[in-house]
Amino acid sequence: MPVPKRLLVAAAVGALLAGCSAPPRSTAVPPADAPVAGTIQLSYWGSSSRVAKTDRIDRLFEKAHPKVSIQTQVGDFSTYFDKLNVQAASSALPCVTGLQTRQLNDYTGNGLLQPLDPFVRSGLIDVDSIPQNLLDSGRGPDGKLYMVPYGAAWNALMINRSMAKKAGIAPLPKTYTWRQFVGWLKEAKAKLPAGIAPTTSQGGNEPVFSAYVIAGGERLFDRKGRIAFSKKTLADYWKLWEELRKGGLTNSAEDTADEPAQPEQFYVTTGKVLSEPTAGNALVAADAAAPDERLTTVPFPTGPAGLGNAFFNSGWAIPAGCDNKATAAAYIDFFTNDDEAARVYDSDNGAVANADQLAQQIDKPSSPVLKEELEVYDYILAKKVPQPFIPSGYNTTFEQAFTRGYENIAFGRKSISQAVDDFFAEAKINLGNR
């Protein structure tokens, strides 16, 4: 299977990142009374709706700090990090750079980012209202804080409740085991119309596998970025999904490979399957796209260690080479803590990380669907699921190799044992090397 061009670009620029050294001013921290003024660049990804919301927040910040001007760089998520890698390789990252936990450690091991702990200690950035496990997701392998989370995303099982009700299928509770989940799929298959699968094929879905590993009591990675779960765990997972696929409890491998990436076109949204794993914070968009359907989400199944749902958080970082760190820090503090800014953003890129603002949005939501979405997040947050350390190379190696590994099984190109061996061999070479 040919490697997509954008992955080749990411891998090539990743090699450049590995050779980058820290700018000489990488440890410079402004005093607590440093002036908030001048122009800063802001970089993030998002739709036109998110751009409009962020622009409103930028104007609020400029109103609070009349001597500041914000210039934005916005990209689509699928290409955002390719551009960011090029900027990082030339030490030209914007002063406020949007990152996500799954890419963060591609940048923390080479001196590109400013440690933010001194900004927190001095009071330039207030993180007191961010739950500790969310805040710690912004730390690198050295334990230093490099990113302040503003939005917590998670994956969950989205269910077409209208379809289930029409077919007489009992709803899944918030807490259920893998065995109960398989039983539910079998019940659904017996009641659904021909051509409607109970769920999508999830053997190549890394977030579901992550939940499976964590709920089983294992870690995904150690602090050096090496795989910490066993080959048996991966083989058991892939065997489970092959049995479900061959038993007609999932859609086909071909359908899975062809599914669009937009929530409005998910198979569960368009009524092609009863359920499928999606970003938990996609419920609002999916529900709006299917006004005649009733969609809902529940966390993933539990295991011997409890719930395994992990978060992948979006946040703000400051590059070491930023020449206006005081203003960059003030912007991060404002975005994270200003209540009006939180109301404008309305948990657009994951649930708001600030716990006080989360309570406000659950108490007075902008829509009933957002309330339901945030309540599922709050339920998962309360379970204190161990958050995995994410090594460098995660997106370009682990996620891509995981999906490719299961596709090789589903399309008959490799046995499960061969696919497992090949996956571990590739991860050993490429994970955690920056």
Side-chain angles (χ1 to χ4, degrees):
M1 175 180 290
V3 179
K5 182 178 178 181
R6 72 178 185 85
L7 293 183
L8 292 175
V9 172
V13 180
L16 292 176
L17 291 181
C20 290
S21 58
R25 52 187 172 178
S26 62
T27 59
V29 178
D33 60 352
V36 178
T39 299
I40 58 169
Q41 296 283 335
L42 171 71
S43 177
Y44 64 97
W45 65 89
S47 63
S48 58
S49 172
R50 188 176 301 165
V51 170
K53 292 176 181 179
T54 306
D55 284 347
R56 286 178 61 190
I57 294 172
D58 292 350
R59 303 296 82 80
L60 288 172
F61 181 73
E62 290 172 340
K63 183 178 180 180
H65 301 281
K67 295 182 179 181
V68 172
S69 175
I70 300 173
Q71 298 177 353
T72 58
Q73 300 176 16
V74 188
D76 180 82
F77 186 79
S78 63
T79 59
Y80 175 80
F81 288 96
D82 290 343
K83 179 180 179 180
L84 208 65
N85 287 343
V86 174
Q87 292 175 318
S90 57
S91 297
L93 288 170
C95 261
V96 180
T97 297
L99 289 173
Q100 197 178 79
T101 46
R102 292 180 173 181
Q103 293 85 12
L104 175 64
N105 284 320
D106 289 338
Y107 303 90
T108 57
N110 42 33
L112 285 170
L113 299 182
Q114 170 72 47
L116 299 179
D117 304 272
F119 293 76
V120 173
R121 288 193 293 269
S122 70
L124 287 171
I125 300 177
D126 180 4
V127 297
D128 288 349
S129 295
I130 300 176
Q132 193 65 46
N133 62 336
L134 296 188
L135 184 65
D136 288 345
S137 71
R139 299 189 183 278
D142 58 5
K144 295 179 181 178
L145 184 68
Y146 291 100
M147 182 189 82
V148 175
Y150 64 78
W154 67 101
N155 284 76
L157 187 73
M158 188 175 290
I159 300 170
N160 189 317
R161 184 183 291 174
S162 298
M163 184 186 296
K165 183 177 181 180
K166 184 176 181 180
I169 301 167
L172 274 172
K174 279 187 178 179
T175 300
Y176 58 101
T177 66
W178 277 95
R179 177 176 293 182
Q180 289 172 321
F181 178 52
V182 172
W184 183 78
L185 294 177
K186 291 179 179 178
E187 176 198 356
K189 177 177 171 57
K191 296 180 177 181
L192 287 170
I196 304 295
T199 195
T200 52
S201 178
Q202 297 164 29
N205 191 303
E206 174 276 328
V208 182
F209 175 69
S210 298
Y212 180 86
V213 171
I214 296 169
E218 291 184 276
R219 292 181 301 159
L220 282 171
F221 309 101
D222 63 22
R223 296 302 294 185
K224 293 183 178 179
R226 298 171 301 199
I227 285 178
F229 56 86
S230 68
K231 285 187 175 182
K232 182 180 183 304
T233 296
L234 178 56
D236 287 346
Y237 181 80
W238 278 343
K239 180 181 178 183
L240 168 65
W241 282 104
E242 275 297 271
E243 290 173 350
L244 296 177
R245 183 181 67 85
K246 292 177 180 178
L249 301 180
T250 77
N251 63 354
S252 68
E254 290 83 1
D255 284 344
T256 298
D258 291 339
E259 183 172 13
Q262 295 76 28
E264 296 83 359
Q265 297 177 334
F266 286 165
Y267 289 158
V268 69
T269 309
T270 55
K272 295 180 180 178
V273 296
L274 173 64
S275 68
E276 69 174 298
T278 68
N281 55 308
L283 182 60
V284 171
D287 183 82
D292 295 331
E293 303 292 334
R294 182 69 180 91
L295 304 174
T296 191
T297 60
V298 295
F300 290 143
T302 60
L307 189 63
N309 265 89
F311 299 122
F312 47 101
N313 305 319
S314 297
W316 300 119
I318 299 176
C322 172
D323 60 1
N324 194 350
K325 293 176 183 175
T327 302
Y331 181 88
I332 293 173
D333 182 76
F334 183 87
F335 199 101
T336 306
N337 295 298
D338 185 81
D339 287 347
E340 178 60 22
R343 281 191 289 272
V344 169
Y345 207 65
D346 203 25
S347 290
D348 187 277
N349 193 15
V352 62
N354 183 303
D356 297 332
Q357 295 166 354
L358 175 68
Q360 293 168 16
Q361 292 186 16
I362 291 177
D363 183 51
K364 295 182 179 180
S366 58
S367 72
V369 180
L370 178 64
K371 179 181 178 68
E372 181 178 345
E373 183 178 288
L374 294 179
E375 285 177 340
V376 173
Y377 160 75
D378 198 34
Y379 172 85
I380 296 171
L381 182 66
K383 296 297 182 181
K384 301 187 183 300
V385 177
Q387 297 302 299
F389 169 75
I390 303 296
S392 63
Y394 178 83
N395 273 96
T396 54
T397 296
F398 188 88
E399 279 195 296
Q400 299 295 331
F402 186 85
T403 300
R404 186 171 63 251
Y406 181 68
E407 285 178 348
N408 284 331
I409 296 168
F411 285 105
R413 292 189 286 260
K414 292 182 181 180
S415 67
I416 291 177
S417 61
Q418 183 183 5
V420 169
D421 287 343
D422 290 349
F423 174 80
F424 270 73
E426 182 174 348
K428 183 176 181 181
I429 294 172
N430 295 317
L431 275 179
N433 291 330
R434 291 202 291 277

